Amino acid sequence: MNTDITTKMKIDKPASEVFEAIVEPEKMGGYWFSSGTGRVEQGKTITWRYEEYGAEGDIEVLKVEENKEIVFNWGETTVTMTFQETDGSTILEVTESGLEADDPEIVNKMMDQKEGWVYMLTCMKGYLENGITTLRASLVK
C-alpha cells in the first residue's frame, strides 16, 4: 500500500515568493508556524514552533534547490516540496512519505496529514495573494 500523501495548490505568485515564504521564518509566521529558529537551508536542523498550540518540532533539512525543491525529515516522515512556475503562478506540490502501511492507525494518520497540508496551503495562498494573516492557527480539532 502506498502511504504517500500528495497535496497541490496553485498560488498566484512567482516561485521565488512562494519559496521565500517557506524558507524565511518571519514570512512563515504569517500563515503557518509562529516561529522558526532559522532559515531553511540544506544540512540544518531547525525547530518550528506553534505557540498557539504549545507545540514544536525539529526538521532536518536534506535538500534545498532555490525556487525548485525543499526536502526535509520531520518525525518519522520525509516531506518534499516542489515549485513549478507557469505564467507568474506557482503550483506548490507537497508529498509526505514514510508512514508505515502496517500501522493500525494508518488511515487516521494519512487523513490527519492530508488535512494539515490542505490547511497549510490554503493559509499560505491567502497570505501570499491577499495578505491574510488571520487564518493561521485557527484550525480546531
Side-chain angles (χ1 to χ4, degrees), residues 4-9 11 22 28 31-33 48 59 70 72 74 77-81 92-97 99 109-125 139 141:
D4 289 359
I5 301 151
T6 299
T7 309
K8 298 179 190 182
M9 185 159 294
I11 299 173
I22 293 171
M28 182 187 289
Y31 69 93
W32 195 14
F33 287 93
W48 284 341
I59 66 162
I70 298 169
F72 60 88
W74 70 349
T77 63
T78 300
V79 175
T80 301
M81 298 178 160
L92 176 54
E93 179 176 316
V94 180
T95 300
E96 186 169 1
S97 58
L99 293 171
K109 285 182 180 180
M110 289 178 75
M111 288 175 54
D112 283 349
Q113 292 308 100
K114 179 71 171 187
E115 177 183 318
W117 289 118
V118 169
Y119 177 64
M120 178 279 247
L121 290 171
T122 301
C123 292
M124 177 187 238
K125 183 175 178 71
L139 189 64
K141 289 228 171 206

Side-chain angles (χ1 to χ4, degrees), residues 19 40-43 60-65 69-72 79 81:
F19 180 85
V40 174
E41 295 175 336
Q42 190 166 316
E60 176 190 0
V61 184
L62 304 175
K63 180 179 179 183
V64 175
E65 187 177 347
E69 185 177 42
I70 298 169
V71 181
F72 60 88
V79 175
M81 298 178 160

Side-chain angles (χ1 to χ4, degrees), residues 12-53:
D12 290 329
K13 291 291 178 180
S16 60
E17 287 186 45
V18 178
F19 180 85
E20 281 299 312
I22 293 171
V23 300
E24 182 57 48
E26 289 178 13
K27 291 182 180 180
M28 182 187 289
Y31 69 93
W32 195 14
F33 287 93
S34 52
S35 66
T37 56
R39 186 174 170 85
V40 174
E41 295 175 336
Q42 190 166 316
K44 280 186 155 183
T45 297
I46 297 165
T47 302
W48 284 341
R49 292 185 182 89
Y50 236 137
E51 293 170 16
E52 297 85 352
Y53 299 124

